[in-house]
mmCIF file of all heavy atoms in Angstrom:
data_model
loop_
_atom_site.group_PDB
_atom_site.id
_atom_site.type_symbol
_atom_site.label_atom_id
_atom_site.label_comp_id
_atom_site.label_asym_id
_atom_site.label_seq_id
_atom_site.Cartn_x
_atom_site.Cartn_y
_atom_site.Cartn_z
ATOM 1 N N ASN A 311 0.899 45.931 -12.390
ATOM 2 C CA ASN A 311 -0.302 46.055 -11.583
ATOM 3 C C ASN A 311 -1.373 45.008 -11.875
ATOM 4 O O ASN A 311 -2.457 45.321 -12.365
ATOM 5 C CB ASN A 311 -0.891 47.467 -11.750
ATOM 6 C CG ASN A 311 -1.825 47.835 -10.614
ATOM 7 O OD1 ASN A 311 -2.237 46.994 -9.822
ATOM 8 N ND2 ASN A 311 -2.163 49.107 -10.546
ATOM 9 N N PRO A 312 -1.113 43.748 -11.540
ATOM 10 C CA PRO A 312 -2.170 42.736 -11.662
ATOM 11 C C PRO A 312 -3.348 43.083 -10.759
ATOM 12 O O PRO A 312 -3.184 43.600 -9.657
ATOM 13 C CB PRO A 312 -1.486 41.446 -11.195
ATOM 14 C CG PRO A 312 -0.030 41.711 -11.315
ATOM 15 C CD PRO A 312 0.149 43.174 -11.058
ATOM 16 N N ALA A 313 -4.533 42.803 -11.238
ATOM 17 C CA ALA A 313 -5.736 43.094 -10.462
ATOM 18 C C ALA A 313 -5.971 42.058 -9.385
ATOM 19 O O ALA A 313 -6.643 42.324 -8.394
ATOM 20 C CB ALA A 313 -6.955 43.182 -11.388
ATOM 21 N N SER A 314 -5.450 40.853 -9.574
ATOM 22 C CA SER A 314 -5.623 39.810 -8.573
ATOM 23 C C SER A 314 -4.753 40.109 -7.366
ATOM 24 O O SER A 314 -3.719 40.764 -7.475
ATOM 25 C CB SER A 314 -5.271 38.439 -9.156
ATOM 26 O OG SER A 314 -3.919 38.401 -9.559
ATOM 27 N N GLY A 315 -5.172 39.625 -6.204
ATOM 28 C CA GLY A 315 -4.455 39.929 -4.983
ATOM 29 C C GLY A 315 -3.236 39.054 -4.806
ATOM 30 O O GLY A 315 -3.041 38.058 -5.495
ATOM 31 N N GLY A 316 -2.401 39.447 -3.850
ATOM 32 C CA GLY A 316 -1.243 38.637 -3.510
ATOM 33 C C GLY A 316 0.027 39.137 -4.159
ATOM 34 O O GLY A 316 0.028 39.550 -5.326
ATOM 35 N N LEU A 317 1.124 39.078 -3.402
ATOM 36 C CA LEU A 317 2.408 39.556 -3.901
ATOM 37 C C LEU A 317 3.013 38.629 -4.941
ATOM 38 O O LEU A 317 3.938 39.005 -5.650
ATOM 39 C CB LEU A 317 3.375 39.741 -2.736
ATOM 40 C CG LEU A 317 3.045 40.913 -1.797
ATOM 41 C CD1 LEU A 317 3.896 40.851 -0.540
ATOM 42 C CD2 LEU A 317 3.268 42.239 -2.516
ATOM 43 N N ASN A 318 2.494 37.406 -5.060
ATOM 44 C CA ASN A 318 3.022 36.467 -6.056
ATOM 45 C C ASN A 318 2.389 36.647 -7.427
ATOM 46 O O ASN A 318 2.881 36.088 -8.413
ATOM 47 C CB ASN A 318 2.818 35.026 -5.593
ATOM 48 C CG ASN A 318 3.842 34.594 -4.556
ATOM 49 O OD1 ASN A 318 4.874 35.231 -4.398
ATOM 50 N ND2 ASN A 318 3.552 33.523 -3.844
ATOM 51 N N SER A 319 1.292 37.400 -7.505
ATOM 52 C CA SER A 319 0.545 37.487 -8.762
ATOM 53 C C SER A 319 1.394 37.989 -9.917
ATOM 54 O O SER A 319 1.344 37.458 -11.026
ATOM 55 C CB SER A 319 -0.685 38.386 -8.590
ATOM 56 O OG SER A 319 -1.600 37.828 -7.689
ATOM 57 N N VAL A 320 2.205 39.032 -9.671
ATOM 58 C CA VAL A 320 2.998 39.601 -10.758
ATOM 59 C C VAL A 320 4.020 38.591 -11.262
ATOM 60 O O VAL A 320 4.324 38.544 -12.467
ATOM 61 C CB VAL A 320 3.665 40.920 -10.304
ATOM 62 C CG1 VAL A 320 4.816 40.677 -9.334
ATOM 63 C CG2 VAL A 320 4.141 41.741 -11.501
ATOM 64 N N TYR A 321 4.547 37.753 -10.377
ATOM 65 C CA TYR A 321 5.509 36.728 -10.789
ATOM 66 C C TYR A 321 4.810 35.572 -11.506
ATOM 67 O O TYR A 321 5.320 35.047 -12.498
ATOM 68 C CB TYR A 321 6.264 36.200 -9.575
ATOM 69 C CG TYR A 321 7.018 37.261 -8.817
ATOM 70 C CD1 TYR A 321 6.566 37.708 -7.582
ATOM 71 C CD2 TYR A 321 8.174 37.834 -9.344
ATOM 72 C CE1 TYR A 321 7.254 38.685 -6.878
ATOM 73 C CE2 TYR A 321 8.862 38.813 -8.651
ATOM 74 C CZ TYR A 321 8.400 39.240 -7.419
ATOM 75 O OH TYR A 321 9.087 40.215 -6.725
ATOM 76 N N GLU A 322 3.666 35.184 -11.003
ATOM 77 C CA GLU A 322 2.929 34.092 -11.638
ATOM 78 C C GLU A 322 2.485 34.474 -13.036
ATOM 79 O O GLU A 322 2.590 33.661 -13.975
ATOM 80 C CB GLU A 322 1.716 33.726 -10.767
ATOM 81 C CG GLU A 322 2.097 33.095 -9.445
ATOM 82 C CD GLU A 322 0.960 33.011 -8.451
ATOM 83 O OE1 GLU A 322 -0.064 33.725 -8.659
ATOM 84 O OE2 GLU A 322 1.069 32.254 -7.481
ATOM 85 N N GLU A 323 2.014 35.708 -13.205
ATOM 86 C CA GLU A 323 1.595 36.143 -14.539
ATOM 87 C C GLU A 323 2.794 36.314 -15.464
ATOM 88 O O GLU A 323 2.710 36.016 -16.663
ATOM 89 C CB GLU A 323 0.769 37.423 -14.435
ATOM 90 C CG GLU A 323 -0.536 37.202 -13.688
ATOM 91 C CD GLU A 323 -1.511 38.363 -13.751
ATOM 92 O OE1 GLU A 323 -1.355 39.232 -14.641
ATOM 93 O OE2 GLU A 323 -2.446 38.392 -12.921
ATOM 94 N N THR A 324 3.931 36.761 -14.920
ATOM 95 C CA THR A 324 5.152 36.844 -15.725
ATOM 96 C C THR A 324 5.579 35.456 -16.183
ATOM 97 O O THR A 324 5.935 35.253 -17.352
ATOM 98 C CB THR A 324 6.278 37.504 -14.920
ATOM 99 O OG1 THR A 324 5.908 38.847 -14.589
ATOM 100 C CG2 THR A 324 7.578 37.523 -15.707
ATOM 101 N N ALA A 325 5.554 34.482 -15.270
ATOM 102 C CA ALA A 325 5.934 33.109 -15.627
ATOM 103 C C ALA A 325 5.002 32.547 -16.690
ATOM 104 O O ALA A 325 5.451 31.871 -17.632
ATOM 105 C CB ALA A 325 5.912 32.225 -14.386
ATOM 106 N N ASP A 326 3.707 32.819 -16.578
ATOM 107 C CA ASP A 326 2.747 32.350 -17.586
ATOM 108 C C ASP A 326 3.055 32.960 -18.951
ATOM 109 O O ASP A 326 2.952 32.282 -19.990
ATOM 110 C CB ASP A 326 1.325 32.706 -17.168
ATOM 111 C CG ASP A 326 0.816 31.858 -16.008
ATOM 112 O OD1 ASP A 326 1.428 30.804 -15.725
ATOM 113 O OD2 ASP A 326 -0.195 32.248 -15.381
ATOM 114 N N LEU A 327 3.420 34.244 -18.958
ATOM 115 C CA LEU A 327 3.747 34.908 -20.228
ATOM 116 C C LEU A 327 5.073 34.414 -20.791
ATOM 117 O O LEU A 327 5.236 34.313 -22.015
ATOM 118 C CB LEU A 327 3.755 36.420 -20.043
ATOM 119 C CG LEU A 327 2.370 37.058 -19.893
ATOM 120 C CD1 LEU A 327 2.481 38.515 -19.455
ATOM 121 C CD2 LEU A 327 1.582 36.959 -21.206
ATOM 122 N N PHE A 328 6.040 34.113 -19.928
ATOM 123 C CA PHE A 328 7.268 33.488 -20.412
ATOM 124 C C PHE A 328 6.946 32.146 -21.076
ATOM 125 O O PHE A 328 7.426 31.859 -22.184
ATOM 126 C CB PHE A 328 8.247 33.252 -19.253
ATOM 127 C CG PHE A 328 9.168 34.394 -18.956
ATOM 128 C CD1 PHE A 328 9.378 34.792 -17.642
ATOM 129 C CD2 PHE A 328 9.849 35.060 -19.965
ATOM 130 C CE1 PHE A 328 10.241 35.839 -17.345
ATOM 131 C CE2 PHE A 328 10.707 36.104 -19.686
ATOM 132 C CZ PHE A 328 10.905 36.498 -18.359
ATOM 133 N N ASP A 329 6.162 31.314 -20.412
ATOM 134 C CA ASP A 329 5.795 30.011 -20.976
ATOM 135 C C ASP A 329 5.142 30.181 -22.333
ATOM 136 O O ASP A 329 5.478 29.478 -23.301
ATOM 137 C CB ASP A 329 4.836 29.271 -20.036
ATOM 138 C CG ASP A 329 5.504 28.769 -18.770
ATOM 139 O OD1 ASP A 329 6.746 28.724 -18.725
ATOM 140 O OD2 ASP A 329 4.773 28.424 -17.820
ATOM 141 N N TRP A 330 4.212 31.117 -22.399
ATOM 142 C CA TRP A 330 3.523 31.362 -23.669
ATOM 143 C C TRP A 330 4.515 31.857 -24.722
ATOM 144 O O TRP A 330 4.511 31.378 -25.863
ATOM 145 C CB TRP A 330 2.416 32.404 -23.486
ATOM 146 C CG TRP A 330 1.734 32.739 -24.782
ATOM 147 C CD1 TRP A 330 0.709 32.057 -25.375
ATOM 148 C CD2 TRP A 330 2.080 33.812 -25.677
ATOM 149 N NE1 TRP A 330 0.385 32.639 -26.573
ATOM 150 C CE2 TRP A 330 1.209 33.719 -26.784
ATOM 151 C CE3 TRP A 330 3.021 34.828 -25.648
ATOM 152 C CZ2 TRP A 330 1.261 34.615 -27.844
ATOM 153 C CZ3 TRP A 330 3.089 35.719 -26.697
ATOM 154 C CH2 TRP A 330 2.211 35.612 -27.781
ATOM 155 N N GLY A 331 5.366 32.814 -24.359
ATOM 156 C CA GLY A 331 6.287 33.402 -25.319
ATOM 157 C C GLY A 331 7.269 32.404 -25.892
ATOM 158 O O GLY A 331 7.527 32.399 -27.108
ATOM 159 N N PHE A 332 7.823 31.538 -25.044
ATOM 160 C CA PHE A 332 8.755 30.540 -25.553
ATOM 161 C C PHE A 332 8.063 29.576 -26.512
ATOM 162 O O PHE A 332 8.675 29.106 -27.482
ATOM 163 C CB PHE A 332 9.402 29.781 -24.394
ATOM 164 C CG PHE A 332 10.456 30.563 -23.666
ATOM 165 C CD1 PHE A 332 10.339 30.814 -22.298
ATOM 166 C CD2 PHE A 332 11.558 31.066 -24.336
ATOM 167 C CE1 PHE A 332 11.310 31.535 -21.632
ATOM 168 C CE2 PHE A 332 12.534 31.796 -23.669
ATOM 169 C CZ PHE A 332 12.408 32.039 -22.308
ATOM 170 N N ALA A 333 6.799 29.281 -26.267
ATOM 171 C CA ALA A 333 6.051 28.399 -27.155
ATOM 172 C C ALA A 333 5.578 29.121 -28.408
ATOM 173 O O ALA A 333 5.361 28.495 -29.447
ATOM 174 C CB ALA A 333 4.843 27.811 -26.415
ATOM 175 N N ALA A 334 5.441 30.460 -28.339
ATOM 176 C CA ALA A 334 4.834 31.225 -29.430
ATOM 177 C C ALA A 334 5.837 31.769 -30.439
ATOM 178 O O ALA A 334 5.443 32.159 -31.547
ATOM 179 C CB ALA A 334 4.028 32.387 -28.858
ATOM 180 N N ILE A 335 7.120 31.834 -30.084
ATOM 181 C CA ILE A 335 8.108 32.373 -31.014
ATOM 182 C C ILE A 335 8.043 31.603 -32.333
ATOM 183 O O ILE A 335 8.104 30.383 -32.365
ATOM 184 C CB ILE A 335 9.526 32.297 -30.413
ATOM 185 C CG1 ILE A 335 9.672 33.284 -29.262
ATOM 186 C CG2 ILE A 335 10.580 32.582 -31.475
ATOM 187 C CD1 ILE A 335 11.036 33.270 -28.601
ATOM 188 N N GLY A 336 7.898 32.332 -33.433
ATOM 189 C CA GLY A 336 7.785 31.722 -34.758
ATOM 190 C C GLY A 336 6.375 31.321 -35.123
ATOM 191 O O GLY A 336 6.125 30.914 -36.261
ATOM 192 N N LYS A 337 5.432 31.455 -34.175
ATOM 193 C CA LYS A 337 4.045 31.054 -34.421
ATOM 194 C C LYS A 337 3.066 32.216 -34.295
ATOM 195 O O LYS A 337 1.857 32.019 -34.338
ATOM 196 C CB LYS A 337 3.644 29.933 -33.456
ATOM 197 C CG LYS A 337 4.493 28.678 -33.607
ATOM 198 C CD LYS A 337 4.109 27.627 -32.590
ATOM 199 C CE LYS A 337 4.997 26.394 -32.721
ATOM 200 N NZ LYS A 337 4.671 25.365 -31.695
ATOM 201 N N VAL A 338 3.602 33.423 -34.112
ATOM 202 C CA VAL A 338 2.774 34.620 -34.097
ATOM 203 C C VAL A 338 3.422 35.677 -34.972
ATOM 204 O O VAL A 338 4.643 35.701 -35.146
ATOM 205 C CB VAL A 338 2.586 35.181 -32.666
ATOM 206 C CG1 VAL A 338 1.805 34.211 -31.792
ATOM 207 C CG2 VAL A 338 3.929 35.530 -32.034
ATOM 208 N N LYS A 339 2.605 36.523 -35.533
ATOM 209 C CA LYS A 339 3.104 37.670 -36.273
ATOM 210 C C LYS A 339 3.309 38.809 -35.280
ATOM 211 O O LYS A 339 2.393 39.138 -34.517
ATOM 212 C CB LYS A 339 2.105 38.087 -37.348
ATOM 213 C CG LYS A 339 2.553 39.270 -38.188
ATOM 214 C CD LYS A 339 1.497 39.610 -39.235
ATOM 215 C CE LYS A 339 1.930 40.831 -40.050
ATOM 216 N NZ LYS A 339 0.897 41.187 -41.063
ATOM 217 N N PRO A 340 4.491 39.417 -35.241
ATOM 218 C CA PRO A 340 4.731 40.473 -34.256
ATOM 219 C C PRO A 340 3.718 41.602 -34.357
ATOM 220 O O PRO A 340 3.264 41.966 -35.450
ATOM 221 C CB PRO A 340 6.137 40.960 -34.606
ATOM 222 C CG PRO A 340 6.777 39.802 -35.297
ATOM 223 C CD PRO A 340 5.678 39.135 -36.073
ATOM 224 N N VAL A 341 3.365 42.159 -33.222
ATOM 225 C CA VAL A 341 2.427 43.287 -33.187
ATOM 226 C C VAL A 341 3.172 44.612 -33.069
ATOM 227 O O VAL A 341 2.543 45.680 -33.014
ATOM 228 C CB VAL A 341 1.436 43.138 -32.023
ATOM 229 C CG1 VAL A 341 0.564 41.915 -32.223
ATOM 230 C CG2 VAL A 341 2.152 43.072 -30.672
ATOM 231 N N GLY A 342 4.474 44.570 -33.026
ATOM 232 C CA GLY A 342 5.275 45.779 -32.931
ATOM 233 C C GLY A 342 6.724 45.415 -32.697
ATOM 234 O O GLY A 342 7.122 44.257 -32.860
ATOM 235 N N GLU A 343 7.513 46.401 -32.314
ATOM 236 C CA GLU A 343 8.940 46.183 -32.089
ATOM 237 C C GLU A 343 9.453 47.069 -30.968
ATOM 238 O O GLU A 343 8.895 48.133 -30.677
ATOM 239 C CB GLU A 343 9.740 46.475 -33.355
ATOM 240 C CG GLU A 343 9.674 47.939 -33.798
ATOM 241 C CD GLU A 343 10.611 48.263 -34.938
ATOM 242 O OE1 GLU A 343 11.747 47.755 -34.916
ATOM 243 O OE2 GLU A 343 10.205 49.034 -35.825
ATOM 244 N N LEU A 344 10.511 46.636 -30.326
ATOM 245 C CA LEU A 344 11.257 47.467 -29.402
ATOM 246 C C LEU A 344 12.233 48.302 -30.226
ATOM 247 O O LEU A 344 13.122 47.758 -30.872
ATOM 248 C CB LEU A 344 12.018 46.614 -28.391
ATOM 249 C CG LEU A 344 11.178 45.692 -27.506
ATOM 250 C CD1 LEU A 344 12.088 44.864 -26.607
ATOM 251 C CD2 LEU A 344 10.168 46.475 -26.680
ATOM 252 N N VAL A 345 12.032 49.593 -30.217
ATOM 253 C CA VAL A 345 12.819 50.452 -31.099
ATOM 254 C C VAL A 345 14.236 50.625 -30.560
ATOM 255 O O VAL A 345 14.469 50.546 -29.350
ATOM 256 C CB VAL A 345 12.154 51.835 -31.272
ATOM 257 C CG1 VAL A 345 10.806 51.687 -31.950
ATOM 258 C CG2 VAL A 345 12.020 52.548 -29.939
ATOM 259 N N PRO A 346 15.197 50.878 -31.438
ATOM 260 C CA PRO A 346 16.564 51.177 -30.984
ATOM 261 C C PRO A 346 16.646 52.599 -30.449
ATOM 262 O O PRO A 346 15.726 53.397 -30.627
ATOM 263 C CB PRO A 346 17.386 51.015 -32.263
ATOM 264 C CG PRO A 346 16.424 51.321 -33.365
ATOM 265 C CD PRO A 346 15.083 50.826 -32.909
ATOM 266 N N PRO A 347 17.727 52.949 -29.777
ATOM 267 C CA PRO A 347 17.895 54.325 -29.302
ATOM 268 C C PRO A 347 17.922 55.322 -30.457
ATOM 269 O O PRO A 347 18.188 54.957 -31.605
ATOM 270 C CB PRO A 347 19.252 54.281 -28.585
ATOM 271 C CG PRO A 347 19.481 52.841 -28.263
ATOM 272 C CD PRO A 347 18.834 52.070 -29.368
#
Side-chain angles (χ1 to χ4, degrees):
N311 200 347
S314 62
L317 290 169
N318 282 343
S319 295
V320 73
Y321 301 107
E322 292 167 344
E323 295 190 18
T324 297
D326 288 344
L327 287 169
F328 272 135
D329 289 345
W330 177 84
F332 285 122
I335 290 179
K337 299 177 182 178
V338 295
K339 181 180 178 181
V341 296
E343 64 172 320
L344 300 177
V345 297

